[in-house]
Amino acid sequence: MAVDALDTRILRLLIEQPRTSVREYARILGVARGTLQARIDRMERDGVITGTGPVLSPAALGHPVLAFVHIEVTQGHLDEVGDALSAVPEIVEAFSITGGGDLLTRVVARDNGHLEDVIQRLINLPGVVRTRTEMALRERVPHRLLPLVEAVGRDTTA
């Protein structure tokens, strides 16, 4: 799906001012409310916009430790292990990957001891061969998509 200049402006507002009303977005952009709503609906339908909920801080929820755990899986058990990961609340993301390991998970924990407990739980899942853990020390670039949105918007206007 192509994102044009107006879509880019809409997405920028949604990212920068997520609590603003559609009516106010339309006023800021100088477009009809119906046009704006149709654009948002299309971007949701096309999977460009995938959510609108609040962004939560695991640290503020008492889980300041962040680690990335690579999981090696017995051949033929990737789906089973992937499904089992969804039952571990401290896993906030999991991806199938190439390279060293089969799965990469983003894990949060209360402290290092809690992280060890979570890793032990992962090791004991049927189909898990081994894990390798890397701890994050400091976030250098927070999760962001606005620079990508702007780059995509520029590419379509050229």
Side-chain angles (χ1 to χ4, degrees), residues 11 14 40 43-53 143 145:
L11 291 169
L14 291 172
I40 291 172
M43 287 190 282
E44 287 175 346
R45 194 174 47 253
D46 291 347
V48 174
I49 298 172
T50 59
T52 58
H143 180 77
L145 290 174

Side-chain angles (χ1 to χ4, degrees), residues 31-104:
V31 299
R33 184 182 179 285
T35 299
L36 177 69
Q37 189 63 60
R39 293 284 188 123
I40 291 172
D41 291 346
R42 178 181 48 80
M43 287 190 282
E44 287 175 346
R45 194 174 47 253
D46 291 347
V48 174
I49 298 172
T50 59
T52 58
V55 177
L56 305 177
S57 164
L61 293 170
H63 289 68
V65 175
L66 171 61
F68 299 92
V69 179
H70 297 257
I71 303 172
E72 188 177 322
V73 177
T74 304
Q75 276 191 312
H77 294 274
L78 187 61
D79 288 339
E80 295 165 34
V81 173
D83 291 344
L85 295 177
S86 66
V88 180
E90 294 86 359
I91 294 179
V92 295
E93 289 181 300
F95 301 91
S96 299
I97 60 168
T98 63
D102 300 300
L103 295 163
L104 175 63

Side-chain angles (χ1 to χ4, degrees), residues 85-145:
L85 295 177
S86 66
V88 180
E90 294 86 359
I91 294 179
V92 295
E93 289 181 300
F95 301 91
S96 299
I97 60 168
T98 63
D102 300 300
L103 295 163
L104 175 63
T105 62
R106 182 175 169 168
V107 178
V108 296
R110 293 185 300 272
D111 53 38
N112 290 352
H114 181 223
L115 177 60
E116 182 181 11
D117 294 343
V118 173
I119 293 167
Q120 288 301 317
R121 183 173 176 188
L122 298 179
I123 289 169
N124 289 318
L125 291 175
V128 171
V129 175
R130 73 178 45 88
T131 65
R132 181 174 55 86
T133 302
E134 298 166 350
M135 291 187 61
L137 300 175
R138 180 180 296 152
E139 183 177 68
R140 299 294 180 167
V141 177
H143 180 77
R144 70 210 176 117
L145 290 174

